[in-house]
Amino acid sequence: GAGVSQSPSNKVTEKGKDVELRCDPISGHTALYWYRQSLGQGLEFLIYFQGNSAPDKSGLPSDRFSAERTGGSVSTLTIQRTQQEDSAVYLCASSLRVPGLAGTVYNEQFFGPGTRLTVL
Amino acid sequence: EDKVVQSPLSLVVHEGDTVTLNCSYEVTNFRSLLWYKQEKKAPTFLFMLTSSGIEKKSGRLSSILDKKELFSILNITATQTGDSAVYLCAVEAAAGNKLTFGGGTRVLVKP
């Protein structure tokens, strides 16, 4: 497809259940990011994948959150034993690292439509 | 810790007005500042700024960066109802590639 896609678009689950959110990045984009956005808030970084490097997991709020990226393309964000405070829109973004002046690399991220997660 | 603050939190204008949105930041090893427009779910990219004093323009939107004073502004002239959205500012640091976002400015343009 032309853009980043995410599924499902909406997910309602019960507290304590596990959920999996999927992201298909733009073809050829080497970097993939997960963010979450709580109601009325800005975006909060969760995790970042770049090529075959170890992911940057510094934004994951707890060990109930994990993500993987298979084959350098599709990514799945898993939330175990969901809590009500996990309710948010989960946004995925991808980028193609672009060389800039003097070798500096700049980073324009393209976002998917998000998955709205509601934990009852 | 990297920090991005946007102001105002929200504003209401009428069609044809000009709006100016502010973004100030504190970041170690600044790389770039980005503006996004968010109408429903997915933020859509507007501008990426890396150098001070160079204005970027796209139609009625323009933006400029001041790396000495650590802020950026986004201007929208001759506003239209379709400009109603949340405008997000984000900063990328050289260490790592995550974006740190501000809380956004909600703009409502009334007919």
Side-chain angles (χ1 to χ4, degrees):
Chain A
V4 178
S5 61
Q6 292 185 244
S7 61
S9 56
N10 284 283
K11 176 71 176 179
V12 180
T13 190
E14 293 179 348
K15 178 181 172 181
K17 295 285 180 74
D18 296 352
V19 295
E20 284 190 353
L21 312 179
R22 178 187 168 105
C23 171
D24 282 271
I26 293 172
S27 178
H29 278 195
T30 55
L32 186 147
Y33 311 77
W34 283 98
Y35 296 86
R36 80 175 169 182
Q37 188 173 32
S38 300
L39 187 63
Q41 302 296 312
L43 276 70
E44 174 191 2
F45 168 78
L46 296 176
I47 188 169
Y48 156 64
F49 296 89
Q50 172 60 47
N52 295 321
S53 302
D56 176 357
K57 304 179 182 179
S58 60
L60 295 178
S62 79
D63 59 8
R64 296 186 296 104
F65 287 72
S66 63
E68 61 178 24
R69 188 179 184 194
T70 53
S73 180
V74 171
S75 177
T76 302
L77 177 70
T78 301
I79 309 173
Q80 296 177 308
R81 304 181 302 282
T82 51
Q83 303 294 314
Q84 289 183 331
E85 60 263 29
D86 299 334
S87 297
V89 175
Y90 288 81
L91 290 157
C92 174
S94 71
S95 73
L96 177 64
R97 296 188 62 144
V98 178
L101 292 174
T104 309
V105 177
Y106 300 106
N107 181 32
E108 176 185 335
Q109 296 183 18
F110 295 87
F111 284 82
T115 295
R116 183 177 298 279
L117 174 66
T118 303
V119 182
L120 300 177
Chain B
E1 184 179 332
D2 298 341
K3 187 177 175 183
V4 179
V5 178
Q6 291 186 245
S7 63
L9 288 178
S10 65
L11 71 163
V12 180
V13 298
H14 288 91
E15 278 191 313
D17 289 350
T18 294
V19 299
T20 298
L21 310 182
N22 303 291
C23 175
S24 62
Y25 63 90
E26 296 174 21
V27 62
T28 304
N29 296 324
F30 173 90
R31 173 175 283 174
S32 63
L33 183 146
L34 299 93
W35 284 97
Y36 287 86
K37 177 182 182 182
Q38 186 176 29
E39 292 178 84
K40 291 191 177 173
K41 279 190 181 177
T44 54
F45 173 79
L46 295 176
F47 297 110
M48 176 187 286
L49 302 157
T50 56
S51 301
S52 280
I54 299 174
E55 184 183 48
K56 292 219 172 178
K57 286 181 70 71
S58 176
R60 296 176 294 100
L61 276 68
S62 64
S63 184
I64 197 161
L65 174 68
D66 186 328
K67 290 167 72 173
K68 181 178 178 184
E69 300 297 329
L70 307 183
F71 78 91
S72 173
I73 61 171
L74 175 68
N75 279 318
I76 311 173
T77 59
T79 51
Q80 303 172 357
T81 55
D83 296 326
S84 297
V86 174
Y87 290 83
L88 296 167
C89 173
V91 172
E92 182 192 14
N97 293 88
K98 67 178 184 180
L99 295 178
T100 300
F101 281 84
T105 294
R106 182 175 298 277
V107 176
L108 176 61
V109 181
K110 291 187 171 181

